[in-house]
Each structure stands twice: as C-alpha cells, then as structure tokens.
C-alpha cells in the first residue's frame, strides 16, 4: 500500500513540475524581453530591406474553356464528371490535360523569343529574348552571391582560352547557349496552367517584372497554344485536303481531256452513219461520263475534307482574356515584415532558453 501511495503522489507531482517548468521558461523570457524586442526589431528591418530590394513583379491570367468531343451519352459523361472522372475517349494525343507539357516544352518557348514587347513606361521596345537577357532587375544580394563565381571565371579564363560564341550566329533550338536556356527554364517554371478535371476549364497565369510585357507575352502564349493544338487537330484533315486536291486536279484534267476527245470526234463524224463511227462515239461518251463521275466523287470528298478541317480548328475558347495588371503581385512588404519579425522572435527565444546555456557550457568545456 505504501508503494501505491508513493506512486500516486509522484503522478500528482508531475503536472505541477511541468507547470513550474513552463512558468520558469516564461519568466526567463519575460526577464529578457528587451533582448527579444531588439531581435524582433532587427528582423523587422531585415524584412523591410528584403521587401524593398526584391524587384516588383506583376501577374496576368486568362481562363480557357477547351472543346472536347464526347463519344458517350451526355448523361453518363455528366455523372462521371461529378465524380471527377474524365470519360473523353477522343483519339487526340494532345488534349487540354497535356497543355502544361506543351507550354513548358523548349520548342514552344523558343517560338516566343522573337516576340516584340514594350514596357509600360514606353522607354523600351525590343524582343522578348533581349528583354529577358539584358533588362531584368535583380536584388542587390544576387550580385554579391555571383561575385565570387565571376571572379573565379575571370581567373580561369587566364589559364584556359575558350572560344566565345558569335552573338550574330543563328540560334539552334536543340543546342541553346546558357543564357537562352535560362530564359527557357524561367518560362517553363513560371507559365502555370491549372485545369479543372470536371469541367475542363483551364487557368493560365504568368508573372513578370512589367505589367504590359506580361500581358503581351501571355496573349502570345495563348495564340501559340491555340495554333499549336489547332495544327495538330487539323493535321490529318489538312493532309487529306492536300492529297485530294492533287487527285482532284488530275481527275479534272482527265475529264476535260475525255470531254475534248468526245467533242472533236463528234464534230468530225457529225454526218457519218456508219455503225463503227457510232460505236466509237458511244465509247468516247461513256469514257467522258465515267471521268466526270470519278471527278465528281473526288470533288465531293475534297469539299468534305475542307469542311472537316474547318470544324477541327476551334480548340478552346478564351473565357477571360488577360488584362494589364494595375497592382504588383509580389513582393508583399507586409508579408516579409511579419515573417522576418516572427523568425527573429523565435530565434531570440530559442537562444535565451537553450542556446545561450549550451554555448556557455561548450566554452567552459573547451577551457577545461
């Protein structure tokens, strides 16, 4: 019984000991509150410096509604859409679900390099590639970080001479220089597409340092995406149109030749009543009719292929086009202020409660 009583007393003392420990920690922090406030003030200053140093960026977005051909009943498709299942059985290899892969591909972004862009203040008008390579702002600490690597590259250039690429040489899409690859990587990471699998609605967004430039680039992205997918959707129909156009021209010439042959023979044997002449005339007439039937069928197929090509062209509708943003999307100075102040306060509390004691113990152990 004595052992049971002693264990119960220990259990009753544990919450009190934990409470006393927490109160001790709070008391310790309260005594050092001035130091915590100083750390928070320093963190706030760092947050403001970071917020004002990072270049402002602007975000533009657009909403697309892709058109899909459903091979199942509308009732089954709608029920499946409510369950988050896509029952689109179209045979297209490129549909709205692959738009992110298409937009982030190197050939697609390479097609934007020669796009003419103009800044909102009207002071700069150049190509998108030149704007991204030569006219991008960066935080001041990026120069500090790059300085050692630039110095190392300068020293290395004294010992190994490398041939500098010709700036006027045409770019090879499959072997781009380092800066051009950086531009491709930037757009591949910053052009974002979010697709609702139930409705197929796709939101495209992009963030850049100038409001007019970002809107111009996003419009070009939408146009290129529409052309890209339209070309794919109409590629087979367009090829059918080209092939049928050649065949139709050949059959047309054959029909005209048979028609001329029949007309010449009829004119030459107008008053001839010989059976052989009439038989030849009937043969030429049948050849002419047969050539006309073939030509007519091919012409009908050609028109059907042209109609199919036109029907396949609309791939998606732009529900909400991109507009020039009026306010910057980043950086948020208030956000940086709160984050750095909070982190500084946490670091100060950790140092006062645990770090300072561990550091003093470590210094004492070293001295001994």
């Amino acid at each position: 019984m004595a052992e049971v009583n002693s264990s119960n007393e220990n259990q009753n003392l544990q919450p009190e000991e934990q409470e006393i420990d927490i109160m001790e920690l709070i008391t310790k922090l309260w005594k050092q509150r001035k130091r915590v406030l100083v750390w928070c003030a320093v963190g706030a200053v760092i947050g403001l410096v970071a917020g004002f140093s990072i270049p402002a960026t602007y975000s533009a977005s657009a909403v697309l509604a892709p058109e899909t051909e459903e091979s199942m009943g509308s009732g089954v498709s709608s029920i499946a859409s409510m369950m988050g299942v896509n029952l689109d059985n179209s045979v297209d290899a490129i549909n709205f679900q692959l738009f992110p892969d298409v937009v982030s591909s190197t050939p697609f972004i390479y097609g934007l390099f020669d796009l003419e862009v103009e800044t909102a203040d009207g002071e700069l008008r150049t190509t998108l590639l030149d704007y991204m390579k030569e006219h991008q702002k960066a935080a001041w600490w990026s120069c500090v970080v790059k300085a050692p690597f630039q110095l190392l590259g300068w020293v290395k250039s004294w010992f190994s001479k490398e041939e500098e690429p010709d700036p006027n040489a045409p770019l090879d899409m499959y072997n781009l220089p380092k800066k051009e690859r950086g531009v491709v990587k930037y757009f591949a990471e910053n052009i974002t597409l979010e697709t609702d699998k139930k409705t197929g609605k796709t939101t495209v967004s992009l963030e850049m340092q100038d409001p007019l430039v970002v809107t111009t680039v996003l419009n070009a992205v939408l146009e290129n995406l529409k052309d890209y997918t339209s070309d794919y959707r109409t590629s087979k129909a367009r090829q059918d149109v080209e092939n049928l156009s050649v065949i139709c021209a050949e059959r047309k010439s054959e029909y005209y030749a048979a028609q001329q042959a029949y007309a010449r023979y009829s004119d030459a044997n107008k008053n001839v009543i010989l059976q052989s002449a009439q038989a030849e005339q009937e043969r030429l007439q049948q050849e002419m009719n047969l050539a006309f039937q073939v030509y007519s069928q091919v012409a009908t197929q050609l028109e059907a292929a042209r109609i199919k090509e036109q029907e396949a062209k609309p791939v998606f509708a732009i529900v909400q086009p991109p507009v020039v943003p009026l306010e910057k999307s980043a950086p948020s100075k208030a956000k940086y202020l709160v984050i750095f102040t909070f982190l500084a306060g946490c670091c100060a509390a950790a140092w006062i409660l645990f770090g300072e004691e561990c550091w003093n113990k470590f210094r004492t152990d070293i001295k001994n």
Side-chain angles (χ1 to χ4, degrees):
M1 292 295 295
E3 293 178 358
V4 174
N5 292 332
S6 62
S7 62
N8 291 334
E9 290 177 359
N10 292 332
Q11 291 178 359
N12 294 330
L13 288 175
Q14 284 179 0
E16 295 179 1
E17 292 177 356
Q18 292 178 358
E19 225 175 86
I20 292 172
D21 292 340
I22 294 174
M23 291 302 299
E24 286 181 359
L25 296 178
I26 294 175
T27 304
K28 192 174 182 180
L29 285 177
W30 179 253
K31 290 180 179 179
Q32 299 289 334
R33 60 185 181 278
K34 291 184 178 179
R35 187 190 296 186
V36 175
L37 291 176
V38 170
W39 280 53
C40 290
V42 173
V45 172
I46 296 174
L48 290 176
V49 171
F52 281 99
S53 300
I54 297 175
T57 56
Y58 298 84
S59 178
S61 61
V63 179
L64 313 178
E67 295 180 357
T68 58
E69 296 180 359
E70 295 181 354
S71 58
M72 296 188 177
S74 58
V76 177
S77 300
S78 61
I79 294 173
S81 298
M82 292 174 63
M83 298 175 62
V85 179
N86 182 21
L87 294 181
D88 180 20
N89 294 333
S90 59
V91 296
D92 289 343
I94 298 178
N95 51 34
F96 67 90
Q97 294 181 354
L98 292 180
F99 281 0
D101 297 322
V102 173
V103 171
S104 61
S105 63
T106 299
F108 186 89
I109 299 174
Y110 179 81
L112 300 172
F113 280 1
D114 295 330
L115 176 68
E116 281 196 7
V117 296
E118 183 179 3
T119 56
D121 54 13
E123 296 181 359
L124 178 64
R125 186 181 182 88
T126 182
T127 62
L128 178 61
L129 180 61
D130 180 70
Y131 174 78
M132 295 300 298
K133 288 171 57 180
E134 306 296 337
H135 303 282
Q136 290 296 289
K137 300 176 183 178
W140 57 268
W141 57 77
S142 62
C143 299
V144 178
V145 175
K146 292 179 181 178
F149 298 98
Q150 292 177 348
L151 179 61
L152 181 63
W154 179 72
V155 173
K156 186 178 178 181
S157 64
W158 283 86
F159 299 96
S160 60
K161 293 184 178 180
E162 297 181 358
E163 295 184 1
E164 296 183 358
D166 185 7
N168 298 323
L171 293 176
D172 182 7
M173 180 176 63
Y174 301 102
N175 188 20
L176 293 173
K178 186 176 181 180
K179 287 187 176 181
E180 282 74 6
R181 294 193 183 192
V183 174
V184 171
K185 183 179 179 182
Y186 175 85
F187 284 110
E189 294 177 350
N190 285 272
I191 300 177
T192 59
L193 289 91
E194 298 179 355
T195 302
D196 187 350
K197 294 183 179 180
K198 296 181 181 179
T199 61
K201 184 178 70 174
T202 303
T203 303
V204 188
S205 59
L206 175 62
E207 193 172 288
M208 296 182 70
Q209 294 184 5
D210 188 88
L212 184 58
V213 172
V214 69
T215 308
T216 304
V217 175
L218 188 56
N219 273 315
V221 168
L222 297 180
E223 290 298 324
N224 289 3
L225 180 61
K226 188 173 184 178
D227 293 341
Y228 184 92
T229 49
S230 296
D231 289 342
Y232 170 78
R233 291 278 297 272
T234 60
S235 58
K236 187 178 183 302
R238 187 170 58 252
Q239 186 64 39
D240 292 341
V241 170
E242 294 175 359
N243 295 337
L244 288 172
S245 297
V246 175
I247 297 174
C248 188
E250 294 176 354
R251 297 299 175 265
K252 183 179 180 180
S253 61
E254 291 177 359
Y255 165 65
Y256 283 174
Q259 188 181 45
Q260 289 296 326
Y262 172 74
R264 284 194 300 269
Y265 187 84
S266 297
D267 292 340
N269 298 276
K270 186 175 183 180
N271 297 320
V272 178
I273 58 175
L274 296 175
Q275 292 293 327
S276 59
Q278 293 180 0
E280 182 65 20
Q281 185 177 3
E282 290 178 0
R283 186 186 65 81
L284 292 174
Q285 185 178 7
Q286 291 175 357
E287 288 183 356
M288 181 188 67
N289 293 336
L290 180 61
F292 175 75
Q293 291 178 2
V294 174
Y295 166 61
S296 178
Q297 291 177 358
V298 174
T300 303
Q301 293 177 4
L302 176 59
E303 291 302 319
R306 287 173 176 170
I307 293 174
K308 185 178 180 181
E309 181 184 9
Q310 292 297 325
E311 290 177 349
K313 278 187 177 179
V315 178
F316 55 78
I318 301 178
V319 178
Q320 176 62 47
V323 295
V324 179
L326 299 178
E327 298 180 357
K328 62 182 180 180
S329 57
S332 174
K333 298 178 179 62
K335 182 178 178 181
Y336 277 92
L337 176 64
V338 172
I339 291 176
F340 277 88
T341 303
F342 176 76
L343 290 177
C346 292
C347 292
W351 173 256
I352 293 171
L353 296 176
F354 310 106
E356 191 172 13
E357 183 178 351
C358 294
W359 174 249
N360 293 332
K361 184 178 179 181
F362 177 72
R363 291 176 61 184
T364 304
D365 294 340
I366 292 177
K367 289 180 181 180
N368 296 334

